């Protein structure tokens, strides 16, 4: 992969602490090259607590924008001049565009999940969703789903964390535990299951001890696993074996990146071209996803 640098080339980056493991530069530079855009995407460590200083620096240094990961998403939110509806509800931004010294914040994690669900043939509006996990990924998914009128049961190992997340939208969200009997009962009445726990993730993480809740799903219910490595998690495998449409988290990951690039450039991106360039680059960089 090579990005041709010119005097006109606009700078983008991802900030985080830690951030050196981020796949965003591989994904974004591959898409930039494939689409012939005049941008370069870098990796920028920014220590916790320094998001405000970084913002001033980024504007001064002429950055067109940047993505943010842990721990800056919430810290950036109050520093924006304008935010989109997803960022407002989540209280967190993962994409910042800098224009004429003003900061525009977006949360493309939320839009990314809706596009990934559309790829799976799922319109979550009015649907009953079983959301596993109550961490950062689950929050983005919950914001997106409740925003389109889905009702969400949040099941988490630590139930207090699920309760806390459900305070965001109590009319549409209910907390629960993650014991096998509870999951089986809830999945029988669900249209969609989304896994936002780290269960099943490579390398050698813990996996679901019991997948019988997948067998309890009604016919046609879909399964989306936010985990994208390995390409077919045990959850996705079981869902496919039992006839349910299922996908891993690669669609979510790529769609949030494509949406961010659309914000940075102000251009509509050729999604298929961008996706295939990013997947090829990830493969070449040893990602098993
Ligand atoms: P996080 O904030 O650390 O949350 C981790 C979640 O996993 C919590 O709900 C935690 O439950 C649960 N968990 C961890 N170990 C568990 C176990 N042994 N049994 C049951 N539950 C367990 O992490 P995150 O950022 O939300 O990421 C979660 C997953 O989503 C990761 O696999 C990550 O790779 C993936 N992800 C994918 C995308 C994408 O674009 N596809 C984006 C972000 C994240 P407790 O609260 O009980 O600890």
């Amino acid at each position: 992969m090579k990005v041709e640098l010119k005097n006109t080339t606009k700078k983008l980056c991802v900030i985080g602490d830690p951030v050196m493991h981020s796949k965003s530069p591989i994904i974004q530079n591959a898409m930039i090259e494939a689409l012939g855009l005049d941008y370069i995407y870098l990796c920028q460590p920014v220590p916790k607590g320094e998001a405000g200083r970084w913002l001033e620096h980024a504007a001064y240094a002429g950055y067109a924008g940047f993505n943010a990961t842990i721990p800056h998403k919430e810290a950036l939110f109050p520093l924006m001049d304008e935010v989109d509806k997803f960022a407002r509800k989540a209280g967190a931004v993962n994409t910042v565009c800098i224009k004429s010294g003003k900061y525009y914040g977006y949360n493309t994690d939320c839009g990314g999940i809706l596009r990934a669900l559309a790829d799976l043939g799922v319109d979550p509006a009015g649907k009953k969703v079983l959301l596993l996990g109550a961490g950062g990924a689950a929050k983005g998914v919950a914001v997106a789903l409740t925003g389109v009128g889905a009702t969400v049961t949040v099941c988490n190992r630590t139930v207090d964390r699920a309760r806390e997340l459900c305070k965001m939208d109590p009319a549409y969200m209910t907390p629960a535990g993650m014991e096998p009997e509870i999951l089986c009962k809830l999945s029988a009445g669900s249209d969609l299951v989304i896994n936002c726990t780290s269960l099943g993730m490579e390398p050698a993480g813990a996996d679901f001890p019991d997948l019988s809740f997948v067998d309890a799903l009604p016919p046609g219910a879909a399964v989306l696993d936010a985990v994208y490595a390995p390409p077919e998690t045990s959850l996705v495998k079981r869902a496919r074996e039992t006839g349910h449409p299922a996908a891993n988290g690669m669609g979510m990951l790529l769609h949030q990146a494509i949406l961010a690039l659309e914000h940075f450039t102000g251009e509509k991106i050729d999604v298929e071209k961008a996706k295939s360039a990013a997947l090829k680059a990830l493969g070449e960089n040893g990602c098993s996803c």
Side-chain angles (χ1 to χ4, degrees):
M1 169 182 43
K2 56 182 187 320
V3 176
E4 193 189 336
L5 295 178
K6 298 182 253 173
N7 287 353
T8 51
T9 302
K10 295 180 229 21
K11 294 191 287 288
L12 301 167
C13 70
V14 57
I15 67 164
D17 179 17
V19 75
M20 297 313 281
H21 65 285
S22 173
K23 296 195 179 6
S24 292
I26 296 170
I27 293 171
Q28 291 287 359
N29 285 318
M31 299 195 306
I32 285 166
E33 186 195 359
L35 299 166
L37 300 168
D38 190 15
Y39 287 81
I40 175 91
Y41 192 102
L42 306 165
C43 188
Q44 177 64 55
V46 171
K48 187 172 181 191
E50 299 284 0
R53 266 181 78 198
W54 162 255
L55 267 187
E56 283 176 31
H57 170 82
Y60 181 72
Y63 274 80
F66 61 92
N67 289 119
T69 184
I70 292 169
H72 301 306
K73 292 185 186 186
E74 284 83 11
L76 284 165
F77 176 74
L79 305 175
M80 298 292 104
D81 290 292
E82 284 181 31
V83 291
D84 73 354
K85 64 174 181 182
F86 290 136
R88 181 169 299 111
K89 189 160 179 185
V93 301
N94 77 326
T95 301
V96 177
C97 294
I98 306 173
K99 287 181 197 146
S100 311
K102 290 205 160 174
Y103 304 112
Y104 298 88
Y106 306 89
N107 193 315
T108 68
D109 291 334
C110 301
I113 177 81
L114 295 178
R115 283 193 180 185
L117 285 172
D119 286 349
L120 196 54
V122 176
D123 174 3
K127 298 278 175 16
K128 287 189 183 136
V129 184
L130 187 58
L131 175 57
L132 311 180
K139 187 174 185 185
V141 167
V143 168
L145 293 179
T146 55
V148 296
T151 50
V152 181
T153 304
V154 181
C155 296
N156 199 46
R157 177 179 61 178
T158 313
V159 189
D160 274 350
R161 235 178 141 192
R163 286 196 191 100
E164 197 53 40
L165 181 56
C166 291
K167 285 182 189 163
M168 184 173 75
D169 204 336
Y172 284 90
M173 295 172 72
T174 313
M178 253 190 82
E179 293 74 16
E181 322 76 68
I182 294 180
L183 291 186
C184 278
K185 197 169 164 210
L186 288 168
S187 66
S190 299
D191 304 302
L192 170 65
V193 176
I194 303 184
N195 174 41
C196 284
T197 72
S198 47
L199 290 171
M201 189 171 75
E202 267 180 355
D207 207 342
F208 285 93
D210 184 337
L211 282 166
S212 50
F213 66 92
V214 177
D215 310 339
L217 281 168
V223 174
L224 182 64
D225 197 341
V227 175
Y228 50 80
E232 190 175 62
T233 60
S234 62
L235 173 62
V236 169
K237 185 166 184 284
R238 180 73 154 254
R240 286 180 178 151
E241 282 168 357
T242 46
H244 297 282
N248 74 1
M250 187 47 72
M252 272 172 77
L253 184 72
L254 295 185
H255 277 303
Q256 63 77 26
I258 291 167
L259 278 166
L261 196 55
E262 289 186 349
H263 289 308
F264 293 142
T265 61
E267 289 179 27
K268 189 94 188 85
I269 300 292
D270 180 334
V271 172
E272 288 316 312
K273 204 170 183 179
K275 264 189 181 173
S276 72
L279 284 170
K280 184 163 174 275
L282 285 167
E284 286 166 359
N285 281 274
C287 179
S288 71
C289 29

